[in-house]
Amino acid sequence: FQKSVVNRYFFPNPGRLIKIEGIQDVLKQKWVKKLEFWYKVGDNVPQPSNHSQRFGVFIVVGENRGEVDDRTKWVYDKIRIVTEAIV
């Protein structure tokens, strides 16, 4: 069969990670096949200079490009990554 798949990454503002909101809402969606973050609360999130410094990743599937585009936007809208500037 044919499906559309999107693999996207998170690049939040640099600083100390305070919290990540919306994880459980996103994970409830059967069309979300992967959601991972490589930083935990309290970690310092750098200003990324290359893709090895990605904050996290997600994969969504759908019936067509329009559907995965809508779902991708929904995930980005739902996940809120809160950082605090390091002085």
Side-chain angles (χ1 to χ4, degrees), residues 19-84:
K19 63 183 171 179
I20 306 171
E21 298 174 340
I23 294 171
Q24 293 308 313
D25 290 334
V26 171
L27 290 174
K28 288 178 187 174
Q29 307 306 314
K30 291 184 180 187
W31 41 265
V32 173
K33 300 302 179 184
K34 181 177 191 174
L35 178 66
E36 292 182 9
F37 299 101
W38 299 304
Y39 293 84
K40 62 184 183 310
V41 170
D43 286 350
N44 291 328
V45 179
Q47 174 69 43
S49 60
N50 60 63
H51 273 274
S52 71
Q53 295 173 327
R54 294 176 283 209
F55 182 88
V57 63
F58 68 94
I59 296 174
V60 300
V61 299
E63 294 299 319
N64 54 55
R65 178 64 185 256
E67 187 170 63
V68 294
D69 286 348
D70 290 345
R71 290 174 174 180
T72 298
K73 181 183 180 319
W74 183 88
V75 172
Y76 277 130
D77 288 346
K78 188 60 70 170
I79 295 293
R80 183 168 175 255
I81 302 165
V82 180
T83 58
E84 175 182 75

